[in-house]
Amino acid sequence: MNDPAFSSAPFMDEQLFQSIHHISKELKTMRLRDIKERLPEASYFQIRLALAMKGGVI
């Protein structure tokens, strides 16, 4: 996470990454369970990673 060249690409595609952020913003939450319920194809790891890469900004 401290490496500016770090990429989430090996773990998820860009569409899933954006979907996680969209849902997080829409629900105004960073709760993994709430996001997982709306996006069941994402793993908890992927959700956690996507939120961490955006700095947890809602």
Side-chain angles (χ1 to χ4, degrees), residues 9-33:
F11 306 103
M12 72 186 97
D13 61 25
E14 184 64 24
Q15 183 177 356
L16 181 59
F17 185 82
Q18 294 302 324
S19 294
I20 291 168
H21 286 284
H22 175 76
I23 291 170
S24 176
K25 215 172 183 180
E26 181 182 307
L27 297 177
K28 294 184 176 82
T29 187
M30 289 180 55
R31 286 184 47 144
L32 303 180
R33 185 185 309 158

mmCIF file with all atom_site columns, all heavy atoms in Angstrom, residues 9-33:
data_model
loop_
_atom_site.group_PDB
_atom_site.id
_atom_site.type_symbol
_atom_site.label_atom_id
_atom_site.label_alt_id
_atom_site.label_comp_id
_atom_site.label_asym_id
_atom_site.label_entity_id
_atom_site.label_seq_id
_atom_site.pdbx_PDB_ins_code
_atom_site.Cartn_x
_atom_site.Cartn_y
_atom_site.Cartn_z
_atom_site.occupancy
_atom_site.B_iso_or_equiv
_atom_site.pdbx_formal_charge
_atom_site.auth_seq_id
_atom_site.auth_comp_id
_atom_site.auth_asym_id
_atom_site.auth_atom_id
_atom_site.pdbx_PDB_model_num
ATOM 1   N N   . ALA A 1 9  ? -4.760  -4.557  -10.179 1.00 0.00 ? 9  ALA A N   1
ATOM 2   C CA  . ALA A 1 9  ? -5.085  -5.351  -11.363 1.00 0.00 ? 9  ALA A CA  1
ATOM 3   C C   . ALA A 1 9  ? -4.946  -6.865  -11.171 1.00 0.00 ? 9  ALA A C   1
ATOM 4   O O   . ALA A 1 9  ? -5.788  -7.611  -11.678 1.00 0.00 ? 9  ALA A O   1
ATOM 5   C CB  . ALA A 1 9  ? -4.263  -4.888  -12.560 1.00 0.00 ? 9  ALA A CB  1
ATOM 6   N N   . PRO A 1 10 ? -3.932  -7.361  -10.453 1.00 0.00 ? 10 PRO A N   1
ATOM 7   C CA  . PRO A 1 10 ? -3.860  -8.816  -10.279 1.00 0.00 ? 10 PRO A CA  1
ATOM 8   C C   . PRO A 1 10 ? -4.990  -9.383  -9.405  1.00 0.00 ? 10 PRO A C   1
ATOM 9   O O   . PRO A 1 10 ? -5.246  -10.577 -9.421  1.00 0.00 ? 10 PRO A O   1
ATOM 10  C CB  . PRO A 1 10 ? -2.518  -9.045  -9.584  1.00 0.00 ? 10 PRO A CB  1
ATOM 11  C CG  . PRO A 1 10 ? -1.737  -7.803  -9.791  1.00 0.00 ? 10 PRO A CG  1
ATOM 12  C CD  . PRO A 1 10 ? -2.738  -6.699  -9.951  1.00 0.00 ? 10 PRO A CD  1
ATOM 13  N N   . PHE A 1 11 ? -5.674  -8.526  -8.672  1.00 0.00 ? 11 PHE A N   1
ATOM 14  C CA  . PHE A 1 11 ? -6.680  -8.974  -7.719  1.00 0.00 ? 11 PHE A CA  1
ATOM 15  C C   . PHE A 1 11 ? -8.117  -8.727  -8.174  1.00 0.00 ? 11 PHE A C   1
ATOM 16  O O   . PHE A 1 11 ? -9.034  -9.400  -7.716  1.00 0.00 ? 11 PHE A O   1
ATOM 17  C CB  . PHE A 1 11 ? -6.453  -8.298  -6.363  1.00 0.00 ? 11 PHE A CB  1
ATOM 18  C CG  . PHE A 1 11 ? -5.067  -8.497  -5.846  1.00 0.00 ? 11 PHE A CG  1
ATOM 19  C CD1 . PHE A 1 11 ? -4.135  -7.485  -5.927  1.00 0.00 ? 11 PHE A CD1 1
ATOM 20  C CD2 . PHE A 1 11 ? -4.681  -9.714  -5.315  1.00 0.00 ? 11 PHE A CD2 1
ATOM 21  C CE1 . PHE A 1 11 ? -2.840  -7.663  -5.464  1.00 0.00 ? 11 PHE A CE1 1
ATOM 22  C CE2 . PHE A 1 11 ? -3.394  -9.913  -4.853  1.00 0.00 ? 11 PHE A CE2 1
ATOM 23  C CZ  . PHE A 1 11 ? -2.472  -8.892  -4.928  1.00 0.00 ? 11 PHE A CZ  1
ATOM 24  N N   . MET A 1 12 ? -8.316  -7.725  -9.048  1.00 0.00 ? 12 MET A N   1
ATOM 25  C CA  . MET A 1 12 ? -9.657  -7.414  -9.538  1.00 0.00 ? 12 MET A CA  1
ATOM 26  C C   . MET A 1 12 ? -9.553  -6.542  -10.772 1.00 0.00 ? 12 MET A C   1
ATOM 27  O O   . MET A 1 12 ? -8.566  -5.833  -10.953 1.00 0.00 ? 12 MET A O   1
ATOM 28  C CB  . MET A 1 12 ? -10.476 -6.711  -8.457  1.00 0.00 ? 12 MET A CB  1
ATOM 29  C CG  . MET A 1 12 ? -10.069 -5.278  -8.163  1.00 0.00 ? 12 MET A CG  1
ATOM 30  S SD  . MET A 1 12 ? -10.929 -4.558  -6.776  1.00 0.00 ? 12 MET A SD  1
ATOM 31  C CE  . MET A 1 12 ? -9.713  -4.840  -5.496  1.00 0.00 ? 12 MET A CE  1
ATOM 32  N N   . ASP A 1 13 ? -10.581 -6.593  -11.605 1.00 0.00 ? 13 ASP A N   1
ATOM 33  C CA  . ASP A 1 13 ? -10.574 -5.735  -12.786 1.00 0.00 ? 13 ASP A CA  1
ATOM 34  C C   . ASP A 1 13 ? -11.040 -4.328  -12.400 1.00 0.00 ? 13 ASP A C   1
ATOM 35  O O   . ASP A 1 13 ? -11.581 -4.103  -11.322 1.00 0.00 ? 13 ASP A O   1
ATOM 36  C CB  . ASP A 1 13 ? -11.408 -6.320  -13.928 1.00 0.00 ? 13 ASP A CB  1
ATOM 37  C CG  . ASP A 1 13 ? -12.874 -6.504  -13.581 1.00 0.00 ? 13 ASP A CG  1
ATOM 38  O OD1 . ASP A 1 13 ? -13.385 -5.805  -12.690 1.00 0.00 ? 13 ASP A OD1 1
ATOM 39  O OD2 . ASP A 1 13 ? -13.513 -7.350  -14.221 1.00 0.00 ? 13 ASP A OD2 1
ATOM 40  N N   . GLU A 1 14 ? -10.833 -3.406  -13.297 1.00 0.00 ? 14 GLU A N   1
ATOM 41  C CA  . GLU A 1 14 ? -11.154 -1.990  -13.034 1.00 0.00 ? 14 GLU A CA  1
ATOM 42  C C   . GLU A 1 14 ? -12.644 -1.786  -12.793 1.00 0.00 ? 14 GLU A C   1
ATOM 43  O O   . GLU A 1 14 ? -13.038 -0.962  -11.956 1.00 0.00 ? 14 GLU A O   1
ATOM 44  C CB  . GLU A 1 14 ? -10.682 -1.124  -14.209 1.00 0.00 ? 14 GLU A CB  1
ATOM 45  C CG  . GLU A 1 14 ? -10.884 0.353   -14.004 1.00 0.00 ? 14 GLU A CG  1
ATOM 46  C CD  . GLU A 1 14 ? -10.092 0.956   -12.854 1.00 0.00 ? 14 GLU A CD  1
ATOM 47  O OE1 . GLU A 1 14 ? -9.052  0.402   -12.468 1.00 0.00 ? 14 GLU A OE1 1
ATOM 48  O OE2 . GLU A 1 14 ? -10.537 2.002   -12.329 1.00 0.00 ? 14 GLU A OE2 1
ATOM 49  N N   . GLN A 1 15 ? -13.479 -2.538  -13.486 1.00 0.00 ? 15 GLN A N   1
ATOM 50  C CA  . GLN A 1 15 ? -14.924 -2.394  -13.319 1.00 0.00 ? 15 GLN A CA  1
ATOM 51  C C   . GLN A 1 15 ? -15.356 -2.770  -11.896 1.00 0.00 ? 15 GLN A C   1
ATOM 52  O O   . GLN A 1 15 ? -16.169 -2.068  -11.291 1.00 0.00 ? 15 GLN A O   1
ATOM 53  C CB  . GLN A 1 15 ? -15.661 -3.258  -14.331 1.00 0.00 ? 15 GLN A CB  1
ATOM 54  C CG  . GLN A 1 15 ? -17.164 -3.100  -14.248 1.00 0.00 ? 15 GLN A CG  1
ATOM 55  C CD  . GLN A 1 15 ? -17.885 -3.918  -15.305 1.00 0.00 ? 15 GLN A CD  1
ATOM 56  O OE1 . GLN A 1 15 ? -17.271 -4.550  -16.144 1.00 0.00 ? 15 GLN A OE1 1
ATOM 57  N NE2 . GLN A 1 15 ? -19.195 -3.908  -15.248 1.00 0.00 ? 15 GLN A NE2 1
ATOM 58  N N   . LEU A 1 16 ? -14.815 -3.850  -11.354 1.00 0.00 ? 16 LEU A N   1
ATOM 59  C CA  . LEU A 1 16 ? -15.142 -4.258  -9.990  1.00 0.00 ? 16 LEU A CA  1
ATOM 60  C C   . LEU A 1 16 ? -14.643 -3.207  -9.000  1.00 0.00 ? 16 LEU A C   1
ATOM 61  O O   . LEU A 1 16 ? -15.343 -2.844  -8.057  1.00 0.00 ? 16 LEU A O   1
ATOM 62  C CB  . LEU A 1 16 ? -14.543 -5.632  -9.675  1.00 0.00 ? 16 LEU A CB  1
ATOM 63  C CG  . LEU A 1 16 ? -14.835 -6.186  -8.282  1.00 0.00 ? 16 LEU A CG  1
ATOM 64  C CD1 . LEU A 1 16 ? -16.345 -6.321  -8.055  1.00 0.00 ? 16 LEU A CD1 1
ATOM 65  C CD2 . LEU A 1 16 ? -14.148 -7.522  -8.093  1.00 0.00 ? 16 LEU A CD2 1
ATOM 66  N N   . PHE A 1 17 ? -13.437 -2.706  -9.226  1.00 0.00 ? 17 PHE A N   1
ATOM 67  C CA  . PHE A 1 17 ? -12.852 -1.664  -8.380  1.00 0.00 ? 17 PHE A CA  1
ATOM 68  C C   . PHE A 1 17 ? -13.773 -0.445  -8.325  1.00 0.00 ? 17 PHE A C   1
ATOM 69  O O   . PHE A 1 17 ? -14.093 0.056   -7.243  1.00 0.00 ? 17 PHE A O   1
ATOM 70  C CB  . PHE A 1 17 ? -11.472 -1.283  -8.936  1.00 0.00 ? 17 PHE A CB  1
ATOM 71  C CG  . PHE A 1 17 ? -10.711 -0.302  -8.110  1.00 0.00 ? 17 PHE A CG  1
ATOM 72  C CD1 . PHE A 1 17 ? -9.994  -0.718  -7.004  1.00 0.00 ? 17 PHE A CD1 1
ATOM 73  C CD2 . PHE A 1 17 ? -10.692 1.044   -8.452  1.00 0.00 ? 17 PHE A CD2 1
ATOM 74  C CE1 . PHE A 1 17 ? -9.278  0.197   -6.241  1.00 0.00 ? 17 PHE A CE1 1
ATOM 75  C CE2 . PHE A 1 17 ? -9.977  1.956   -7.704  1.00 0.00 ? 17 PHE A CE2 1
ATOM 76  C CZ  . PHE A 1 17 ? -9.269  1.534   -6.586  1.00 0.00 ? 17 PHE A CZ  1
ATOM 77  N N   . GLN A 1 18 ? -14.239 0.000   -9.482  1.00 0.00 ? 18 GLN A N   1
ATOM 78  C CA  . GLN A 1 18 ? -15.123 1.165   -9.550  1.00 0.00 ? 18 GLN A CA  1
ATOM 79  C C   . GLN A 1 18 ? -16.494 0.864   -8.931  1.00 0.00 ? 18 GLN A C   1
ATOM 80  O O   . GLN A 1 18 ? -17.078 1.726   -8.284  1.00 0.00 ? 18 GLN A O   1
ATOM 81  C CB  . GLN A 1 18 ? -15.284 1.632   -11.001 1.00 0.00 ? 18 GLN A CB  1
ATOM 82  C CG  . GLN A 1 18 ? -14.014 2.179   -11.618 1.00 0.00 ? 18 GLN A CG  1
ATOM 83  C CD  . GLN A 1 18 ? -13.441 3.355   -10.849 1.00 0.00 ? 18 GLN A CD  1
ATOM 84  O OE1 . GLN A 1 18 ? -14.169 4.182   -10.305 1.00 0.00 ? 18 GLN A OE1 1
ATOM 85  N NE2 . GLN A 1 18 ? -12.121 3.436   -10.803 1.00 0.00 ? 18 GLN A NE2 1
ATOM 86  N N   . SER A 1 19 ? -16.988 -0.347  -9.121  1.00 0.00 ? 19 SER A N   1
ATOM 87  C CA  . SER A 1 19 ? -18.279 -0.736  -8.545  1.00 0.00 ? 19 SER A CA  1
ATOM 88  C C   . SER A 1 19 ? -18.251 -0.695  -7.026  1.00 0.00 ? 19 SER A C   1
ATOM 89  O O   . SER A 1 19 ? -19.199 -0.233  -6.386  1.00 0.00 ? 19 SER A O   1
ATOM 90  C CB  . SER A 1 19 ? -18.673 -2.144  -8.999  1.00 0.00 ? 19 SER A CB  1
ATOM 91  O OG  . SER A 1 19 ? -18.908 -2.182  -10.371 1.00 0.00 ? 19 SER A OG  1
ATOM 92  N N   . ILE A 1 20 ? -17.159 -1.164  -6.455  1.00 0.00 ? 20 ILE A N   1
ATOM 93  C CA  . ILE A 1 20 ? -17.012 -1.141  -4.999  1.00 0.00 ? 20 ILE A CA  1
ATOM 94  C C   . ILE A 1 20 ? -17.076 0.296   -4.497  1.00 0.00 ? 20 ILE A C   1
ATOM 95  O O   . ILE A 1 20 ? -17.779 0.601   -3.529  1.00 0.00 ? 20 ILE A O   1
ATOM 96  C CB  . ILE A 1 20 ? -15.702 -1.831  -4.569  1.00 0.00 ? 20 ILE A CB  1
ATOM 97  C CG1 . ILE A 1 20 ? -15.792 -3.335  -4.839  1.00 0.00 ? 20 ILE A CG1 1
ATOM 98  C CG2 . ILE A 1 20 ? -15.399 -1.548  -3.089  1.00 0.00 ? 20 ILE A CG2 1
ATOM 99  C CD1 . ILE A 1 20 ? -14.486 -4.083  -4.721  1.00 0.00 ? 20 ILE A CD1 1
ATOM 100 N N   . HIS A 1 21 ? -16.373 1.199   -5.166  1.00 0.00 ? 21 HIS A N   1
ATOM 101 C CA  . HIS A 1 21 ? -16.380 2.604   -4.749  1.00 0.00 ? 21 HIS A CA  1
ATOM 102 C C   . HIS A 1 21 ? -17.732 3.257   -4.953  1.00 0.00 ? 21 HIS A C   1
ATOM 103 O O   . HIS A 1 21 ? -18.186 4.037   -4.105  1.00 0.00 ? 21 HIS A O   1
ATOM 104 C CB  . HIS A 1 21 ? -15.284 3.384   -5.459  1.00 0.00 ? 21 HIS A CB  1
ATOM 105 C CG  . HIS A 1 21 ? -13.959 3.050   -4.901  1.00 0.00 ? 21 HIS A CG  1
ATOM 106 N ND1 . HIS A 1 21 ? -13.531 3.526   -3.703  1.00 0.00 ? 21 HIS A ND1 1
ATOM 107 C CD2 . HIS A 1 21 ? -12.997 2.236   -5.352  1.00 0.00 ? 21 HIS A CD2 1
ATOM 108 C CE1 . HIS A 1 21 ? -12.342 3.025   -3.441  1.00 0.00 ? 21 HIS A CE1 1
ATOM 109 N NE2 . HIS A 1 21 ? -12.005 2.231   -4.427  1.00 0.00 ? 21 HIS A NE2 1
ATOM 110 N N   . HIS A 1 22 ? -18.380 2.925   -6.040  1.00 0.00 ? 22 HIS A N   1
ATOM 111 C CA  . HIS A 1 22 ? -19.701 3.489   -6.306  1.00 0.00 ? 22 HIS A CA  1
ATOM 112 C C   . HIS A 1 22 ? -20.685 3.069   -5.214  1.00 0.00 ? 22 HIS A C   1
ATOM 113 O O   . HIS A 1 22 ? -21.438 3.898   -4.686  1.00 0.00 ? 22 HIS A O   1
ATOM 114 C CB  . HIS A 1 22 ? -20.189 3.047   -7.688  1.00 0.00 ? 22 HIS A CB  1
ATOM 115 C CG  . HIS A 1 22 ? -21.576 3.471   -7.985  1.00 0.00 ? 22 HIS A CG  1
ATOM 116 N ND1 . HIS A 1 22 ? -21.899 4.768   -8.326  1.00 0.00 ? 22 HIS A ND1 1
ATOM 117 C CD2 . HIS A 1 22 ? -22.738 2.783   -7.961  1.00 0.00 ? 22 HIS A CD2 1
ATOM 118 C CE1 . HIS A 1 22 ? -23.206 4.854   -8.493  1.00 0.00 ? 22 HIS A CE1 1
ATOM 119 N NE2 . HIS A 1 22 ? -23.735 3.654   -8.290  1.00 0.00 ? 22 HIS A NE2 1
ATOM 120 N N   . ILE A 1 23 ? -20.692 1.803   -4.870  1.00 0.00 ? 23 ILE A N   1
ATOM 121 C CA  . ILE A 1 23 ? -21.608 1.295   -3.851  1.00 0.00 ? 23 ILE A CA  1
ATOM 122 C C   . ILE A 1 23 ? -21.276 1.884   -2.486  1.00 0.00 ? 23 ILE A C   1
ATOM 123 O O   . ILE A 1 23 ? -22.171 2.275   -1.734  1.00 0.00 ? 23 ILE A O   1
ATOM 124 C CB  . ILE A 1 23 ? -21.594 -0.244  -3.825  1.00 0.00 ? 23 ILE A CB  1
ATOM 125 C CG1 . ILE A 1 23 ? -22.246 -0.768  -5.102  1.00 0.00 ? 23 ILE A CG1 1
ATOM 126 C CG2 . ILE A 1 23 ? -22.310 -0.778  -2.590  1.00 0.00 ? 23 ILE A CG2 1
ATOM 127 C CD1 . ILE A 1 23 ? -22.080 -2.247  -5.326  1.00 0.00 ? 23 ILE A CD1 1
ATOM 128 N N   . SER A 1 24 ? -19.999 1.968   -2.169  1.00 0.00 ? 24 SER A N   1
ATOM 129 C CA  . SER A 1 24 ? -19.581 2.562   -0.898  1.00 0.00 ? 24 SER A CA  1
ATOM 130 C C   . SER A 1 24 ? -20.074 3.996   -0.786  1.00 0.00 ? 24 SER A C   1
ATOM 131 O O   . SER A 1 24 ? -20.587 4.425   0.251   1.00 0.00 ? 24 SER A O   1
ATOM 132 C CB  . SER A 1 24 ? -18.062 2.506   -0.779  1.00 0.00 ? 24 SER A CB  1
ATOM 133 O OG  . SER A 1 24 ? -17.628 3.162   0.389   1.00 0.00 ? 24 SER A OG  1
ATOM 134 N N   . LYS A 1 25 ? -19.928 4.737   -1.862  1.00 0.00 ? 25 LYS A N   1
ATOM 135 C CA  . LYS A 1 25 ? -20.371 6.131   -1.883  1.00 0.00 ? 25 LYS A CA  1
ATOM 136 C C   . LYS A 1 25 ? -21.896 6.231   -1.821  1.00 0.00 ? 25 LYS A C   1
ATOM 137 O O   . LYS A 1 25 ? -22.447 7.050   -1.090  1.00 0.00 ? 25 LYS A O   1
ATOM 138 C CB  . LYS A 1 25 ? -19.864 6.788   -3.168  1.00 0.00 ? 25 LYS A CB  1
ATOM 139 C CG  . LYS A 1 25 ? -19.499 8.205   -3.038  1.00 0.00 ? 25 LYS A CG  1
ATOM 140 C CD  . LYS A 1 25 ? -18.826 8.667   -4.313  1.00 0.00 ? 25 LYS A CD  1
ATOM 141 C CE  . LYS A 1 25 ? -18.396 10.097  -4.112  1.00 0.00 ? 25 LYS A CE  1
ATOM 142 N NZ  . LYS A 1 25 ? -17.744 10.653  -5.263  1.00 0.00 ? 25 LYS A NZ  1
ATOM 143 N N   . GLU A 1 26 ? -22.571 5.388   -2.582  1.00 0.00 ? 26 GLU A N   1
ATOM 144 C CA  . GLU A 1 26 ? -24.031 5.385   -2.629  1.00 0.00 ? 26 GLU A CA  1
ATOM 145 C C   . GLU A 1 26 ? -24.626 5.070   -1.256  1.00 0.00 ? 26 GLU A C   1
ATOM 146 O O   . GLU A 1 26 ? -25.591 5.705   -0.823  1.00 0.00 ? 26 GLU A O   1
ATOM 147 C CB  . GLU A 1 26 ? -24.495 4.342   -3.648  1.00 0.00 ? 26 GLU A CB  1
ATOM 148 C CG  . GLU A 1 26 ? -25.984 4.238   -3.816  1.00 0.00 ? 26 GLU A CG  1
ATOM 149 C CD  . GLU A 1 26 ? -26.340 3.149   -4.817  1.00 0.00 ? 26 GLU A CD  1
ATOM 150 O OE1 . GLU A 1 26 ? -25.806 3.177   -5.948  1.00 0.00 ? 26 GLU A OE1 1
ATOM 151 O OE2 . GLU A 1 26 ? -27.141 2.276   -4.458  1.00 0.00 ? 26 GLU A OE2 1
ATOM 152 N N   . LEU A 1 27 ? -24.047 4.080   -0.579  1.00 0.00 ? 27 LEU A N   1
ATOM 153 C CA  . LEU A 1 27 ? -24.552 3.674   0.732   1.00 0.00 ? 27 LEU A CA  1
ATOM 154 C C   . LEU A 1 27 ? -23.984 4.539   1.862   1.00 0.00 ? 27 LEU A C   1
ATOM 155 O O   . LEU A 1 27 ? -24.422 4.421   3.005   1.00 0.00 ? 27 LEU A O   1
ATOM 156 C CB  . LEU A 1 27 ? -24.210 2.200   0.999   1.00 0.00 ? 27 LEU A CB  1
ATOM 157 C CG  . LEU A 1 27 ? -24.820 1.176   0.061   1.00 0.00 ? 27 LEU A CG  1
ATOM 158 C CD1 . LEU A 1 27 ? -24.319 -0.219  0.412   1.00 0.00 ? 27 LEU A CD1 1
ATOM 159 C CD2 . LEU A 1 27 ? -26.340 1.225   0.111   1.00 0.00 ? 27 LEU A CD2 1
ATOM 160 N N   . LYS A 1 28 ? -22.981 5.356   1.526   1.00 0.00 ? 28 LYS A N   1
ATOM 161 C CA  . LYS A 1 28 ? -22.300 6.204   2.515   1.00 0.00 ? 28 LYS A CA  1
ATOM 162 C C   . LYS A 1 28 ? -21.761 5.366   3.672   1.00 0.00 ? 28 LYS A C   1
ATOM 163 O O   . LYS A 1 28 ? -21.973 5.681   4.842   1.00 0.00 ? 28 LYS A O   1
ATOM 164 C CB  . LYS A 1 28 ? -23.232 7.288   3.037   1.00 0.00 ? 28 LYS A CB  1
ATOM 165 C CG  . LYS A 1 28 ? -23.636 8.290   1.990   1.00 0.00 ? 28 LYS A CG  1
ATOM 166 C CD  . LYS A 1 28 ? -24.490 9.395   2.579   1.00 0.00 ? 28 LYS A CD  1
ATOM 167 C CE  . LYS A 1 28 ? -24.805 10.443  1.565   1.00 0.00 ? 28 LYS A CE  1
ATOM 168 N NZ  . LYS A 1 28 ? -25.908 10.141  0.694   1.00 0.00 ? 28 LYS A NZ  1
ATOM 169 N N   . THR A 1 29 ? -21.076 4.281   3.293   1.00 0.00 ? 29 THR A N   1
ATOM 170 C CA  . THR A 1 29 ? -20.524 3.383   4.297   1.00 0.00 ? 29 THR A CA  1
ATOM 171 C C   . THR A 1 29 ? -19.257 2.719   3.791   1.00 0.00 ? 29 THR A C   1
ATOM 172 O O   . THR A 1 29 ? -19.038 2.625   2.584   1.00 0.00 ? 29 THR A O   1
ATOM 173 C CB  . THR A 1 29 ? -21.542 2.296   4.702   1.00 0.00 ? 29 THR A CB  1
ATOM 174 O OG1 . THR A 1 29 ? -21.023 1.550   5.800   1.00 0.00 ? 29 THR A OG1 1
ATOM 175 C CG2 . THR A 1 29 ? -21.850 1.354   3.560   1.00 0.00 ? 29 THR A CG2 1
ATOM 176 N N   . MET A 1 30 ? -18.452 2.276   4.721   1.00 0.00 ? 30 MET A N   1
ATOM 177 C CA  . MET A 1 30 ? -17.281 1.467   4.397   1.00 0.00 ? 30 MET A CA  1
ATOM 178 C C   . MET A 1 30 ? -17.426 0.072   5.008   1.00 0.00 ? 30 MET A C   1
ATOM 179 O O   . MET A 1 30 ? -16.474 -0.694  5.034   1.00 0.00 ? 30 MET A O   1
ATOM 180 C CB  . MET A 1 30 ? -16.008 2.154   4.913   1.00 0.00 ? 30 MET A CB  1
ATOM 181 C CG  . MET A 1 30 ? -15.677 3.392   4.122   1.00 0.00 ? 30 MET A CG  1
ATOM 182 S SD  . MET A 1 30 ? -14.200 4.224   4.690   1.00 0.00 ? 30 MET A SD  1
ATOM 183 C CE  . MET A 1 30 ? -12.986 2.923   4.634   1.00 0.00 ? 30 MET A CE  1
ATOM 184 N N   . ARG A 1 31 ? -18.634 -0.237  5.489   1.00 0.00 ? 31 ARG A N   1
ATOM 185 C CA  . ARG A 1 31 ? -18.873 -1.554  6.084   1.00 0.00 ? 31 ARG A CA  1
ATOM 186 C C   . ARG A 1 31 ? -18.792 -2.619  5.006   1.00 0.00 ? 31 ARG A C   1
ATOM 187 O O   . ARG A 1 31 ? -19.547 -2.584  4.020   1.00 0.00 ? 31 ARG A O   1
ATOM 188 C CB  . ARG A 1 31 ? -20.223 -1.602  6.757   1.00 0.00 ? 31 ARG A CB  1
ATOM 189 C CG  . ARG A 1 31 ? -20.255 -0.826  8.068   1.00 0.00 ? 31 ARG A CG  1
ATOM 190 C CD  . ARG A 1 31 ? -21.573 -0.997  8.728   1.00 0.00 ? 31 ARG A CD  1
ATOM 191 N NE  . ARG A 1 31 ? -21.934 -2.421  8.717   1.00 0.00 ? 31 ARG A NE  1
ATOM 192 C CZ  . ARG A 1 31 ? -22.570 -3.028  9.684   1.00 0.00 ? 31 ARG A CZ  1
ATOM 193 N NH1 . ARG A 1 31 ? -22.949 -2.369  10.727  1.00 0.00 ? 31 ARG A NH1 1
ATOM 194 N NH2 . ARG A 1 31 ? -22.865 -4.314  9.587   1.00 0.00 ? 31 ARG A NH2 1
ATOM 195 N N   . LEU A 1 32 ? -17.886 -3.542  5.204   1.00 0.00 ? 32 LEU A N   1
ATOM 196 C CA  . LEU A 1 32 ? -17.658 -4.594  4.213   1.00 0.00 ? 32 LEU A CA  1
ATOM 197 C C   . LEU A 1 32 ? -18.921 -5.401  3.951   1.00 0.00 ? 32 LEU A C   1
ATOM 198 O O   . LEU A 1 32 ? -19.250 -5.711  2.805   1.00 0.00 ? 32 LEU A O   1
ATOM 199 C CB  . LEU A 1 32 ? -16.526 -5.513  4.667   1.00 0.00 ? 32 LEU A CB  1
ATOM 200 C CG  . LEU A 1 32 ? -15.178 -4.859  4.946   1.00 0.00 ? 32 LEU A CG  1
ATOM 201 C CD1 . LEU A 1 32 ? -14.175 -5.908  5.389   1.00 0.00 ? 32 LEU A CD1 1
ATOM 202 C CD2 . LEU A 1 32 ? -14.671 -4.091  3.757   1.00 0.00 ? 32 LEU A CD2 1
ATOM 203 N N   . ARG A 1 33 ? -19.633 -5.754  5.006   1.00 0.00 ? 33 ARG A N   1
ATOM 204 C CA  . ARG A 1 33 ? -20.824 -6.582  4.852   1.00 0.00 ? 33 ARG A CA  1
ATOM 205 C C   . ARG A 1 33 ? -21.884 -5.893  3.996   1.00 0.00 ? 33 ARG A C   1
ATOM 206 O O   . ARG A 1 33 ? -22.518 -6.524  3.153   1.00 0.00 ? 33 ARG A O   1
ATOM 207 C CB  . ARG A 1 33 ? -21.417 -6.929  6.211   1.00 0.00 ? 33 ARG A CB  1
ATOM 208 C CG  . ARG A 1 33 ? -22.597 -7.891  6.091   1.00 0.00 ? 33 ARG A CG  1
ATOM 209 C CD  . ARG A 1 33 ? -23.279 -8.162  7.401   1.00 0.00 ? 33 ARG A CD  1
ATOM 210 N NE  . ARG A 1 33 ? -22.324 -8.546  8.433   1.00 0.00 ? 33 ARG A NE  1
ATOM 211 C CZ  . ARG A 1 33 ? -22.559 -8.428  9.739   1.00 0.00 ? 33 ARG A CZ  1
ATOM 212 N NH1 . ARG A 1 33 ? -23.704 -7.943  10.167  1.00 0.00 ? 33 ARG A NH1 1
ATOM 213 N NH2 . ARG A 1 33 ? -21.662 -8.804  10.612  1.00 0.00 ? 33 ARG A NH2 1
#
